[in-house]
Amino acid sequence: MTSSWEQLKRLYQVVVNNILAVVTVPLAAAVVLKAAELGPDEVLARARTLPPAHMFLAVFVPAATAVIYLMLRPRAVYMVDYACFRTSPNCRVPFATFLEHSRVWPGFDERSVRFMTRLLERSGLGEETCLPYAQHYIPPSRDLASSRAEAELVIFSAIDDLLAKTGVSPRDIDIVVVNCSLFAPTPSFTDMIINRYNLRNDVRNVHLSGMGCSAGLIAVGFARNLLQVAPRGARALVVSTETITPNYYMGQDRAMLLPNCLFRMGGAAVLLSTDGSNARFRLVAPVVRTLTGANDGAYHCVYQEEDGRGNVGINLSKDLMSIAGDALKANITAMGPLVLPASEQLLFALSFIARKVLSGRIKPYIPDFRTAFEHFCIHAGGRAVIDELQRSLTLSDEQVEASRMTLHRFGNTSSSSLWYELAYVEAKGRMRKGDRVWMIGFGSGFKCNSAAWECIRPAENADGPWATCIHRYPVEIPDVLKH
């Protein structure tokens, strides 16, 4: 019975997804057969009887429509290449080290240390995640100089790798977009990059701050929009990171201790262009952004504030996963029509109509995004985030493997985690030409953002952040981390 249902479903998908061919091929065949029956002389004779105005319209209207479409359609945006910051072993912070430092620091009581111990055990993080040098001190240093040092190390290292991979000169960069939520020094991050690499004085640049872990996709969308009005072939450098040195929470509020356990150092640099000659990926559709900040609960679910003793931290609401689920539903509703095959869109439309007619007495149909994408990069914000998306999108363990392994090896690197996940898929040799990738990011506000990429040219070798450890992955996550 199951086999028959699967065969019927495949037949439905083939017919609906190729409906244009199913309809036009018989019509075209009928026209050809009719023309063959009449003969060329009869066809020409009938054509000469048509009024000249009709002949002109038959030729001009399609040609004019095609020209207008080509002129008005958005330019295709390509990802030339990307590079992730490669963490150093001397920044590694095993659980034992993290907890020992927490016990020595008098700002944490034993109750806080026990709570962080349980968090780490269930976090999905491994023993090789890294913290910046300043957070290896007791107590951790959070001064401006240390924060700048972390930002410069991560950002410049990623950009250096990217420029080496692409062979692009810094003087050929036309746009710079950087996102870092919690650290916004003066001069800005874009100014730091312009100064370091001696970029042109007419380079367009912007630093996005305070926009959370999904800001990396917002930066991609922003760069795409700027490329639409820039000269053809322009290049945009997008840098995504989070500077965690100044944001280590020193108090005892449980809701604020979780970021200490999850967030780790990381960053990524991406080169976008409207010239696809040497590109590796193509942006399939505009970045889809969902913002639920008009709701007070969503607005406050990831909130920077002071605790009762004046310690600044990020307060994570217990309703975070519920709010993230609602944002995801709204996002996939907007994303679906852009990427889903016709068969899934038709089922979704029929389900929507049936629910309206039956007053919601049937469950809504969740589109099968596995029919549109071969790979999924889900923000490695934590084990619960990955679990929720795997359940909501009915993904297999292999389809969320990149997210789980990125969380294990690098921790939550905020907006750059999606690029570590893409690097994981490529390092495992799973990316093929024509494969599609769905990136999903969540962030404060509350936001859910999506981007879809199509692979043009897979990586030739795994020389990225996974180069020294990919042979050890995937690793088995102990049961204690899942429950």
Side-chain angles (χ1 to χ4, degrees), residues 9-337:
K9 185 176 180 180
R10 287 196 202 99
L11 178 62
Y12 161 78
Q13 291 174 340
V14 169
V15 172
V16 176
N17 293 341
N18 298 280
I19 191 66
L20 187 62
V22 170
V23 173
T24 57
V25 169
L27 288 176
V31 170
V32 170
L33 290 174
K34 184 64 176 178
E37 179 183 336
L38 294 173
D41 293 338
E42 179 68 18
V43 171
L44 289 174
R46 294 192 179 190
R48 291 193 188 100
T49 62
L50 293 174
H54 292 180
M55 291 289 292
F56 174 76
L57 291 175
V59 175
F60 174 76
V61 171
T65 302
V67 170
I68 293 173
Y69 169 75
L70 292 174
M71 291 178 61
L72 297 181
R73 70 171 180 172
R75 298 175 188 171
V77 172
Y78 301 90
M79 183 205 308
V80 180
D81 216 327
Y82 66 100
C84 299
F85 171 69
R86 307 185 195 195
T87 53
S88 175
N90 60 359
C91 291
R92 190 171 68 93
V93 53
F95 289 180
T97 301
F98 182 89
L99 294 172
E100 180 185 1
H101 285 203
S102 299
R103 287 190 178 93
V104 173
W105 166 239
F108 298 133
D109 57 14
E110 187 58 33
R111 179 172 171 271
S112 298
V113 175
R114 288 198 304 270
F115 178 68
M116 286 190 287
T117 302
R118 292 194 299 273
L119 285 177
L120 286 173
E121 289 175 346
R122 294 162 171 78
S123 66
L125 273 67
E127 299 283 353
E128 296 183 81
T129 61
C130 294
L131 287 173
Y133 296 115
Q135 291 197 2
H136 288 258
Y137 300 143
I138 303 175
S141 175
R142 299 184 296 172
D143 59 79
L144 182 60
S146 299
S147 303
R148 284 186 187 275
E150 180 199 346
E152 292 174 355
L153 171 64
V154 173
I155 291 174
F156 295 158
S157 296
I159 294 176
D160 287 345
D161 282 352
L162 178 64
L163 295 179
K165 290 170 72 174
T166 60
V168 171
S169 167
R171 301 287 292 179
D172 292 330
I173 294 174
D174 305 283
I175 299 165
V176 179
V177 181
V178 182
N179 68 272
C180 181
S181 291
L182 296 175
F183 182 53
T186 300
S188 70
F189 279 14
T190 55
D191 295 324
M192 291 164 51
I193 294 171
I194 291 169
N195 177 261
R196 168 65 179 258
Y197 295 96
N198 191 27
L199 303 187
R200 302 195 316 267
N201 59 10
D202 64 341
V203 64
R204 302 180 183 184
N205 64 94
V206 65
H207 175 173
L208 302 174
S209 64
M211 304 196 76
C213 298
S214 68
L217 296 182
I218 296 175
V220 168
F222 193 90
R224 172 194 176 275
N225 293 342
L226 289 177
L227 285 170
Q228 296 300 312
V229 296
R232 291 188 179 275
R235 297 180 178 91
L237 173 65
V238 176
V239 180
S240 296
T241 189
E242 187 59 74
T243 304
I244 60 178
T245 292
N247 299 299
Y248 190 82
Y249 175 61
M250 307 291 277
Q252 300 175 15
D253 191 316
R254 288 192 176 193
M256 298 185 183
L257 286 171
L258 181 57
N260 285 3
C261 299
L262 286 181
F263 281 88
R264 297 293 185 264
M265 69 186 303
V270 186
L271 187 65
L272 304 178
S273 177
T274 47
D275 179 5
S277 56
N278 295 312
R280 298 199 47 236
F281 290 86
R282 178 179 67 88
L283 191 61
V284 175
V287 173
V288 175
R289 297 173 56 183
T290 300
L291 177 62
T292 61
N295 177 277
D296 287 344
Y299 175 72
H300 286 281
C301 74
V302 181
Y303 200 78
Q304 186 179 28
E305 62 184 9
E306 294 181 345
D307 65 13
R309 300 181 179 180
N311 297 298
V312 177
I314 302 295
N315 192 321
L316 300 181
S317 167
K318 64 180 184 299
D319 300 323
L320 175 59
M321 293 315 304
S322 172
I323 291 168
D326 292 340
L328 175 65
K329 291 175 184 176
N331 188 264
I332 63 177
T333 300
M335 185 72 170

